């Protein structure tokens, strides 16, 4: 049986990745295969990694305030690469009104500091397993 493959990325110039690493490790410990891209990734790099790795989902960690520029660009690049079926979820410092707008654009879920790791894992297990995993 194939495991769900999740690319976890830090788009933009934000230099703080502790939260992304904690979530990546928790997803891994929950049985998912995680590819962590590291700091300061461009939307193009993130989408390229997702395509090259055959990712089933992309998790973005955003603390810099550039989420309303970076996330829509990633969603657009996924569409341009015929990969709009790869769901995107994100977390970080994102105001509620921006979170709602991101979901309207197509982000599957936006997590905040109020969401616990167990809640994130429970959501991922309940939602990401529905993705058809191909060889």
């Amino acid at each position: 049986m194939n495991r769900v493959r999740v690319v976890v990325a830090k788009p933009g110039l934000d230099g703080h990745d502790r939260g992304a690493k904690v979530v990546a490790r928790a997803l891994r410990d929950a049985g998912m295969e995680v590819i962590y891209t590291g700091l300061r990734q461009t939307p193009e790099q993130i989408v390229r990694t997702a395509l090259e790795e055959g990712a089933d989902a992309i998790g973005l960690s955003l603390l810099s305030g550039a989420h309303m520029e970076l996330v829509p660009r990633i969603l657009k690049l996924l569409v341009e690469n015929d990969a709009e079926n790869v769901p995107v979820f994100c977390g970080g410092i994102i105001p509620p009104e921006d979170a709602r707008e991101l979901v309207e654009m197509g982000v599957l879920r936006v997590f905040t500091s109020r969401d616990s790791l167990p809640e994130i894992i429970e959501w991922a297990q309940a939602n990401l397993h529905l993705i058809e995993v191909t060889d």
Side-chain angles (χ1 to χ4, degrees), residues 22 27 33 37 51 54-55 65 73 100 110:
V22 168
L27 292 172
E33 187 172 344
T37 63
L51 296 172
R73 177 77 180 134
R100 283 188 292 278
V110 177

Side-chain angles (χ1 to χ4, degrees), residues 26-47:
L27 292 172
R28 184 202 65 199
D29 291 348
M32 296 175 200
E33 187 172 344
V34 178
I35 299 98
Y36 175 63
T37 63
L39 290 168
R40 297 180 182 92
Q41 297 292 297
T42 66
E44 291 78 10
Q45 290 171 315
I46 293 165
V47 170

Side-chain angles (χ1 to χ4, degrees), residues 13-85:
L13 299 177
D14 178 17
H16 182 273
D17 66 348
R18 183 170 186 265
K21 288 179 177 178
V22 168
V23 170
R25 177 171 282 165
L27 292 172
R28 184 202 65 199
D29 291 348
M32 296 175 200
E33 187 172 344
V34 178
I35 299 98
Y36 175 63
T37 63
L39 290 168
R40 297 180 182 92
Q41 297 292 297
T42 66
E44 291 78 10
Q45 290 171 315
I46 293 165
V47 170
R48 185 174 56 247
T49 298
L51 296 172
E52 289 173 356
E53 294 290 342
D56 300 303
I58 299 172
L60 303 171
S61 174
L62 302 119
L63 302 173
S64 67
H67 52 273
M68 294 307 288
E69 293 178 19
L70 296 168
V71 176
R73 177 77 180 134
I74 290 166
L75 295 172
K76 182 176 187 246
L77 287 167
L78 287 170
V79 169
E80 289 174 1
N81 285 278
D82 296 321
E84 60 270 9
N85 62 327

